[in-house]
């Protein structure tokens, strides 16, 4: 009986150690991807002129304000859907989209068009050398196939 209890305790110890190790790896991966993103943005900042940096910041601030305005238009039910952690990200997004009013859909479309225009205007300020360097900086972006804005300009 004592042998049985010891073996259960040993198995429990091994399983908990393995789960802690897996959790540590996940956190390390998240930290490393954050570091890679931060380094890429620092390289980008060094690449851009002060005027381009100011334009980028202005565009970013406009987009944040537009998103804040949209979030303010959400109903309590819509906010509850956004906070529902039982659903996956895709499920939350699709369930939320089903509840949008016509006005909210117009706002989303307008925000998307504004982002596209600001991206296009910003790309127009870049030199060919800057575009090539940006493509190199962002080539390893997971899930985006490199510098995605550069591809948008070619189309």
């Amino acid at each position: 009986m004592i042998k049985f209890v010891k073996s259960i305790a040993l198995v429990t110890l091994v399983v908990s150690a393995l789960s802690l190790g897996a959790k540590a790896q996940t956190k390390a991966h998240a930290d490393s991807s954050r570091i890679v993103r931060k380094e890429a943005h620092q390289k980008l900042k060094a690449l851009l002129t002060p005027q381009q940096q100011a334009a980028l910041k202005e565009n970013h601030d406009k987009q944040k304000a537009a998103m804040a305005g949209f979030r303010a238009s959400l109903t309590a039910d819509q906010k509850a859907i956004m906070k529902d952690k039982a659903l996956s990200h895709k499920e939350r997004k699709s369930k939320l989209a089903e509840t949008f009013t016509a006005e909210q859909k117009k706002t989303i479309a307008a925000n998307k068009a504004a982002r596209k225009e600001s991206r296009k205007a910003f790309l127009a300020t870049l030199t060919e050398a800057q575009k090539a360097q940006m493509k190199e900086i962002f080539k390893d972006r997971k899930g985006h196939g490199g510098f995605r804005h550069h591809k948008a300009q070619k189309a």
Side-chain angles (χ1 to χ4, degrees):
M1 180 70 171
I2 293 176
K3 233 180 186 181
F4 180 70
V5 172
K6 285 182 179 179
S7 63
I8 289 177
L10 181 63
V11 168
T12 305
L13 181 65
V14 168
V15 168
S16 63
L18 288 174
S19 67
L20 286 175
K23 188 174 182 179
Q25 283 181 340
T26 304
K27 182 166 174 29
H29 175 69
D31 289 346
S32 68
S33 71
R34 233 181 257 122
I35 291 169
V36 168
R37 259 193 330 268
K38 187 174 183 178
E39 288 173 353
H41 284 99
Q42 287 172 342
K43 288 177 186 177
L44 174 65
K45 188 175 180 181
L47 172 68
L48 300 175
T49 66
Q51 294 84 8
Q52 290 169 329
Q53 289 177 18
L56 205 55
K57 181 167 178 19
E58 181 182 331
N59 289 341
H60 181 73
D61 291 343
K62 284 180 186 176
Q63 290 173 15
K64 278 178 69 174
M67 183 55 84
F70 175 73
R71 283 194 181 121
S73 76
L74 294 176
T75 64
D77 290 339
Q78 290 171 331
K79 289 178 183 176
I81 292 171
M82 286 180 65
K83 292 179 183 177
D84 187 2
K85 298 299 179 187
L87 301 172
S88 71
H89 176 75
K90 285 184 179 181
E91 291 170 336
R92 275 195 310 265
K93 190 174 177 179
S94 65
K95 190 173 180 181
L96 184 63
E98 293 170 1
T99 66
F100 288 154
T101 64
E103 191 61 37
Q104 288 173 326
K105 289 178 184 178
K106 282 183 190 175
T107 303
I108 291 170
N111 289 349
K112 186 175 181 178
R115 281 193 310 273
K116 192 173 184 178
E117 272 306 308
S118 67
R119 182 172 41 244
K120 192 175 181 180
F122 174 73
L123 286 173
T125 67
L126 297 175
T127 65
E128 290 302 317
Q130 286 175 319
K131 289 177 188 175
Q133 288 174 317
M134 286 180 77
K135 188 174 183 179
E136 183 63 28
I137 290 170
F138 292 111
K139 74 178 180 186
D140 295 328
R141 285 185 64 187
K142 184 177 177 182
H144 292 293
F147 178 45
R148 65 182 174 187
H149 307 307
H150 185 72
K151 290 181 180 179
Q153 188 190 29
K154 286 183 179 178

